[in-house]
Amino acid sequence: MSGQKSSLMPGDVENLRRRSTADSENCTDHEQYHRFPRPQSQNDWLGVPSHHPELGAAETPSPDASTHHFCHYTPKCFLAVHKGGHGASARSTPSRGARSTPSRFGEEGWHESTKTTIRAENEVEAHREANNYKFGFRKWKGNVTERPIESASEIVKELHSDLSIVKPHEGSVITFGNIVYVFLFGWWLSLVYLLVCPLMFLTIFGAPYGKLCFRMAGYFIWPFGKSIEKPGDTVRRHFVKPPKCEVIPEERDSEDGKDVAPLLVSSPIPVEVPVPEPPARKISKHWCRFSTYLWLLLGYPVVAVFHILTCVLSWLLVFTIPVAKMNARTLSTLLLIAPEDIQINKVEKAQGSATKVILFCNQAFNVYYYKYTVQGINIFALNLLPLVFFTLVIGYTDRQHRYFSAETKFATAISSIIPLSYYIGMGIASISAQSNFAVGAVVNATFGSITEMTFYITALLQGVRAGTKCYEEIVKAALTGTLLGCILFIPGICMIIGGIKHREQRFNSRSAGVSSALLFISIGGVFAPSLFSKIFGNLVCESCTNIPGNGSVPFICKDCHYDTTQADPRLILSQIEPLVYTISLLLPAAYLIGLIFTLKTHSHIYDIHISDGQGGNAHGHHVVHWSRWRALAVLIVATVLMAACADLSTENIEPMLNDSTVSQYFIGVTVLAMVPELPEIVNGIQFAVQNNISLSLEVGSCIAVQVCMIQIPLLILFNAFYDVGFLLVFNDIHLWASIFSVILVNYIFMDGKCDYFQGTALVVVYLILLALYFFAPSPRSC
C-alpha cells in the first residue's frame, strides 16, 4: 500500500509470494498442502475471524483439511490484525512476531498472540480498516470506495435494481407491505387516473390516452405481480448454473505415458444459450400526433404532480423506496410511450428466466433499505439533509417567532446536527483513508471534535450576550453528559446488542486498559480544579434557620456549596487560573504521548499489519466516493452549517431553560450531549452485531478521551483569548458521577470479555444517573 509500510516478517512475505505464484499456476507441491490447507469457503482461506465487522464467520479447520488440494484463488489486499489471547479467534495461527520475542509478550500475558488475516477490497479500504484499530482515529463502518455491484450480495443488488427486470420469484405477493401500499398510495393514484380518464375522452383526440389511464388505474391500485412491457422489446435472460463438482484427475496411462484430461472440471463451463433476435423496430410516429401533445398539455401534468408527491413521500419513508422508483420510472419512461405500445401482463410464478420489461414491481416494502446508499451516503443522512436547510430558513427569517415557535426551531436545529455529524465523519474517514498517518491524525484531531466544539462555543457566546452564567452550566452539563454517555451508554448498549446475538464477546484487554488509563488521567485533570475549589473555597449557604437562645429549634442550612467567587480574589487569580492553564497544557501532552505509545513504541498492543497483497483487486482500479478535495469541501461546508445550527439551537433554547418542570442539568446531559453522538452510537452497534466488540468499546473511549484532552483545553484556550467566563470548576454532581463511571468501566474491562449482563449493568447505572439529573434542582445561575 502507498503510505503504509508492511509489517510482515520476511518469511511471511516469501510464503505469500510462493502462494501467489503457485496458485497462478493452479498447482501446489506436497509441502504447500500442509502450509495452506484447502478451505471450505472463500472466507476460510482468508482466515477471517467471526468478529470482523464486514466478513462472515470462520471455522477451525479439521486435521484432515491439509490433505486436500489448494487451487485457484484471486489474491486480494489483506489487513492482518494480531489479537491478544483474549481476542484470538479459533482460525488464527501463531504470529512470527510473537514467537520471536517471547520475553516481551510473555511477562504481559501476550504469549498467546495470534495473527488473523482480514480481507480488504483495495488499498483505500485496507487503510481505512487499519485506521479503525488505531488509537485517536474515529471508528468508521461504511466503505469509502465504491463496491462493484457484481460482487454485491443479492440483497444489495435488489436494493439498487431499476425495476426493469422480471426475476423468478416464489411466494405470494399479498404481503403486509403491499397491503399498506394500497392504503397509503394505491387508492388515490388510481383515483387520479380515473379522474383524468374522462377528461381525455372528452377531447376525442385523446381517447387512446383515456384508455391508457383506465388501464393504469387498475394497475396502480395493485401493481404487484404485473409487468408493463412493450411488444417486441422483451428480452429473456436464461439462468444456467453449472453443476458443482470437484476435480477428479485420471490416472496416468501406463501404456503410452500420456496424460488424460480430467473427467470433471471445477471451473464453470461456458454454456451458450440461443436467444432469438428481436424483430426490427418500426419507426414510431408517436411524436408526430396531435393526441401526444394534447396528453402532455392536459393529462400528463396532472398525474405528474401526484406521482412526484408519491415519489417524495415514499422516498422519505426509506423502506418504501421501491414505490418511489416505480413512480419515477412511470413518469420518465412509461407515460412518454405511445399508448398502444403499453401492455400490462400478469407474471407467472414459475417463470424460469429473467425478462427485461419497462416496469415490474413485486414489493412495496423492503426492510433492508436501511443499507441503501447514494454516492456512498446513507439514505437516512441524505433524507435528513433538507432538514438542515429548512432549519436555516425558518431560524434566520422568522426571528420574531410568528410562524414557528422557539421550541420547534430548537428541535429542528438540534436534529440537523445528526446528518451534519455523519457528513463530517465520512469526510474524516475519506481523507484519512487516502492520506498518510500524519495527515489523518491532524484531520481527526481538528475535525473529530468540531461538532461538539461549535455548540459549546456558540452557547458560551450566547451566555455572554444574555449576561447570564446559565449557558456556562449548560455547557458543563453537556461535557459531563458526553463523558457519561461515552463511558456508560455506548459500551453498554453495544454489549447488550452484541451479547444477545453472540452470547459472549472477547476483546483486547490490554488496549482497553490503555484507554482506561487515559480516562483516569483525563478525569483527574479535568476535575482537579473542582477539588481544589472545594478544599480552599468558602462554604456558602443560601438560607439558615437559627433563633438565638432557643435550643429546641435545630440549626438548618439549605443549598450549601463551595463558592470561589466569595473567597479571596487572589485565590482565583493566583492559584485556580494558573492551575487551569497548567492542566490545559498537560492534557493534550498526555494525549500526544498516548498516540506515540500506541502507534509507535508499543504498536504491538493493537498489532495492526497490512500484508503484502500481490495483484488482484488489491492494486487494481477502485473508485473513491469522495476525493480528498471533495471530502475537504464537505468538511468545511458541514462545519459552517454546523456552526449555524448550533447558533440557532442555543438561541432558541431559552424557553426550555426557563421551564421549571425540567432541570437544566437533564437537558444538558441528554439532548445536547448525546444527539451529536448518534452516528457514533450506530457505528458502535454495527461493530457489536458483527462480533467486533473491540471497536465498539473504542468508539466510546476515543470520544471520552477527546472530550477531556482536546475539547476542554480548546475551550480554555478560547476563553483565554475571548473571555466568556468559562472556569473549569464543575458541580459536585458532575464530579462524582464521572469518577464513579470511570471506576465502574475499568472494572468491567479487566477480564477482556463481556456479555449482555455487563452491558445491562452499564446502561442501568447510566439511567440511574439520568434520573439523578432529572430530579436535581436547576443551577443557581438559571
Side-chain angles (χ1 to χ4, degrees):
M1 282 181 56
S2 60
Q4 192 77 16
K5 184 178 180 180
S6 175
S7 56
L8 283 177
M9 301 298 292
D12 292 333
V13 177
E14 184 62 28
N15 291 339
L16 186 61
R17 291 174 179 172
R18 290 179 182 176
R19 179 177 174 179
S20 177
T21 304
D23 291 331
S24 63
E25 297 173 358
N26 276 337
C27 63
T28 56
D29 56 18
H30 181 72
E31 180 182 357
Q32 288 173 327
Y33 293 165
H34 297 275
R35 228 183 318 167
F36 303 109
R38 183 183 184 274
Q40 302 301 319
S41 65
Q42 187 180 16
N43 283 346
D44 289 339
W45 67 263
L46 290 170
V48 178
S50 60
H51 60 268
H52 190 260
E54 297 179 359
L55 300 171
E59 299 178 356
T60 305
S62 62
D64 299 334
S66 60
T67 60
H68 294 277
H69 295 265
F70 184 88
C71 299
H72 192 66
Y73 82 103
T74 303
K76 298 283 185 181
C77 185
F78 302 98
L79 168 66
V81 181
H82 289 245
K83 296 287 185 181
H86 296 289
S89 63
R91 179 67 179 154
S92 304
T93 57
S95 64
R96 296 178 180 268
R99 293 196 300 267
S100 61
T101 56
S103 60
R104 182 179 64 177
F105 297 102
E107 298 177 357
E108 303 171 353
W110 279 78
H111 58 281
E112 298 179 358
S113 178
T114 55
K115 182 175 69 174
T116 302
T117 303
I118 301 174
R119 184 183 66 176
E121 298 176 357
N122 49 62
E123 294 181 0
V124 177
E125 293 298 337
H127 200 180
R128 179 187 61 83
E129 285 285 354
N131 289 341
N132 268 347
Y133 290 88
K134 292 178 181 178
F135 170 76
F137 282 73
R138 292 185 60 153
K139 314 308 170 189
W140 190 251
K141 181 65 174 67
N143 289 65
V144 296
T145 58
E146 182 179 352
R147 285 183 170 182
I149 192 63
E150 296 80 8
S151 62
S153 63
E154 291 299 326
I155 295 177
V156 176
K157 290 180 180 178
E158 180 68 22
L159 299 182
H160 291 84
S161 63
D162 59 352
L163 305 184
S164 63
I165 300 295
V166 180
K167 296 181 180 179
H169 65 282
E170 298 179 358
S172 175
V173 295
I174 304 176
T175 61
F176 176 76
N178 293 350
I179 294 175
V180 171
Y181 159 84
V182 176
F183 291 97
L184 290 181
F185 308 107
W187 69 272
W188 54 279
L189 279 177
S190 179
L191 181 61
V192 169
Y193 276 101
L194 289 177
L195 294 178
V196 175
C197 175
L199 175 64
M200 298 308 299
F201 274 111
L202 289 177
T203 61
I204 301 177
F205 293 100
Y209 286 97
K211 297 178 182 179
L212 175 64
C213 289
F214 183 78
R215 289 186 294 159
M216 296 302 293
Y219 174 81
F220 276 103
I221 192 66
W222 187 263
F224 314 107
K226 303 175 184 177
S227 66
I228 299 179
E229 53 191 68
K230 190 175 181 180
D233 280 357
T234 303
V235 178
R236 300 186 181 274
R237 300 177 181 179
H238 295 266
F239 292 101
V240 180
K241 296 184 179 180
K244 296 182 179 179
C245 53
E246 299 289 340
V247 177
I248 306 178
E250 289 284 347
E251 298 292 337
R252 181 182 294 273
D253 193 347
S254 57
E255 296 181 358
D256 53 6
K258 296 182 180 179
D259 293 334
V260 182
L263 295 177
L264 297 176
V265 184
S266 59
S267 59
I269 302 176
V271 180
E272 296 183 0
V273 179
V275 178
E277 296 184 0
R281 294 185 179 181
K282 299 180 180 179
I283 300 177
S284 176
K285 299 181 179 180
H286 170 57
W287 296 103
C288 300
R289 302 172 185 170
F290 176 73
S291 60
T292 301
Y293 297 96
L294 193 64
W295 161 252
L296 294 178
L297 181 63
L298 298 179
Y300 185 84
V302 176
V303 297
V305 171
F306 290 93
H307 276 300
I308 293 174
L309 180 61
T310 306
C311 244
V312 173
L313 293 177
S314 56
W315 183 274
L316 292 178
L317 293 175
V318 176
F319 301 106
T320 56
I321 287 181
V323 179
K325 291 183 177 180
M326 179 175 63
N327 284 268
R329 192 165 183 85
T330 301
L331 274 181
S332 62
T333 304
L334 184 61
L335 297 182
L336 300 179
I337 299 177
E340 66 272 11
D341 290 340
I342 297 176
Q343 291 184 354
I344 302 176
N345 301 321
K346 187 175 181 180
V347 178
E348 298 294 335
K349 293 183 179 179
Q351 184 176 357
S353 60
T355 307
K356 186 173 180 60
V357 296
I358 300 176
L359 179 62
F360 172 76
C361 184
N362 205 38
Q363 57 180 356
F365 185 90
N366 191 341
V367 70
Y368 292 103
Y369 264 99
Y370 71 90
K371 299 181 178 181
Y372 192 71
T373 59
V374 178
Q375 291 294 315
I377 304 172
N378 186 269
I379 182 62
F380 289 102
L382 189 66
N383 284 351
L384 287 175
L385 191 59
L387 179 64
V388 178
F389 301 102
F390 176 75
T391 299
L392 298 178
V393 171
I394 68 173
Y396 289 108
T397 58
D398 186 22
R399 292 281 189 176
Q400 305 300 324
H401 310 299
R402 296 178 180 176
Y403 304 103
F404 298 93
S405 63
E407 291 82 359
T408 303
K409 295 179 182 179
F410 173 79
T412 57
I414 205 71
S415 301
S416 300
I417 294 179
I418 300 175
L420 294 177
S421 300
Y422 173 87
Y423 287 106
I424 290 176
M426 189 170 179
I428 292 174
S430 299
I431 295 178
S432 300
Q434 302 176 70
S435 307
N436 54 29
F437 164 74
V439 175
V442 171
V443 171
N444 275 269
T446 53
F447 288 96
S449 302
I450 201 69
T451 302
E452 297 84 358
M453 288 300 300
T454 51
F455 172 77
Y456 299 150
I457 292 177
T458 52
L460 292 174
L461 293 175
Q462 181 68 21
V464 173
R465 291 193 294 264
T468 176
K469 300 286 289 184
C470 185
Y471 288 89
E472 180 186 355
E473 293 297 330
I474 292 297
V475 169
K476 293 178 181 178
L479 287 169
T480 308
T482 305
L483 284 177
L484 298 179
C486 295
I487 295 174
L488 297 176
F489 181 74
I490 294 180
I493 195 67
C494 293
M495 288 181 184
I496 292 175
I497 297 177
I500 291 176
K501 183 176 182 180
H502 302 287
R503 188 179 178 85
E504 183 178 84
Q505 295 179 296
R506 297 178 180 270
F507 56 89
N508 192 333
S509 60
R510 181 63 189 279
S511 63
V514 174
S515 299
S516 299
L518 288 173
L519 281 176
F520 271 114
I521 297 173
S522 304
I523 296 299
V526 168
F527 292 100
S530 302
L531 295 174
F532 185 87
S533 67
K534 287 167 178 42
I535 296 174
F536 300 102
N538 289 338
L539 182 62
V540 178
C541 297
E542 296 296 333
S543 61
C544 296
T545 59
N546 182 20
I547 302 177
N550 190 355
S552 62
V553 178
F555 181 76
I556 300 175
C557 290
K558 297 180 180 180
D559 196 11
C560 296
H561 60 279
Y562 289 93
D563 190 0
T564 56
T565 60
Q566 303 296 330
D568 186 358
R570 291 177 297 177
L571 178 67
I572 300 176
L573 297 176
S574 60
Q575 273 89 22
I576 294 184
E577 284 190 358
L579 175 62
V580 170
Y581 293 143
T582 302
I583 291 173
S584 64
L585 293 176
L586 291 177
L587 289 179
Y591 184 80
L592 181 61
I593 293 173
L595 288 177
I596 297 174
F597 178 82
T598 55
L599 300 179
K600 295 295 181 182
T601 61
H602 289 67
S603 59
H604 62 272
I605 293 177
Y606 293 86
D607 281 330
I608 302 155
H609 302 275
I610 298 178
S611 64
D612 190 14
Q614 301 292 330
N617 291 340
H619 300 275
H621 178 70
H622 57 265
V623 179
V624 182
H625 287 304
W626 293 1
S627 64
R628 292 184 183 93
W629 291 108
R630 181 182 178 184
L632 182 60
V634 170
L635 280 178
I636 295 174
V637 173
T639 302
V640 174
L641 295 178
M642 180 74 70
C645 292
D647 179 63
L648 291 175
S649 62
T650 55
E651 181 180 337
N652 295 280
I653 199 177
E654 185 175 358
M656 298 182 64
L657 298 180
N658 296 331
D659 187 1
S660 59
T661 59
V662 180
S663 174
Q664 286 79 1
Y665 286 136
F666 183 77
I667 297 173
V669 298
T670 54
V671 178
L672 304 181
M674 296 309 295
V675 168
E677 308 301 336
L678 284 179
E680 305 297 336
I681 296 175
V682 173
N683 286 342
I685 291 175
Q686 288 177 333
F687 288 131
V689 169
Q690 300 296 336
N691 204 17
N692 197 351
I693 194 65
S694 296
L695 290 184
S696 298
L697 302 182
E698 288 291 335
V699 167
S701 299
C702 182
I703 298 174
V705 170
Q706 284 188 350
V707 167
C708 294
M709 295 189 168
I710 294 180
Q711 296 178 17
I712 290 180
L714 286 176
L715 289 177
I716 298 299
L717 180 64
F718 177 78
N719 185 79
F721 287 95
Y722 189 90
D723 188 8
V724 291
F726 181 77
L727 187 63
L728 201 62
V729 177
F730 289 81
N731 193 285
D732 289 357
I733 188 174
H734 303 323
L735 171 65
W736 303 119
S738 301
I739 292 177
F740 175 74
S741 301
V742 173
I743 294 175
L744 176 62
V745 167
N746 186 65
Y747 174 77
I748 295 292
F749 287 175
M750 286 178 60
D751 57 353
K753 58 184 179 181
C754 62
D755 48 45
Y756 73 90
F757 176 75
Q758 292 177 332
T760 303
L762 294 179
V763 173
V764 169
V765 171
Y766 177 73
L767 295 178
I768 291 174
L769 294 177
L770 288 188
L772 180 65
Y773 280 105
F774 181 80
F775 294 105
S778 300
R780 290 178 298 275
S781 57
C782 295

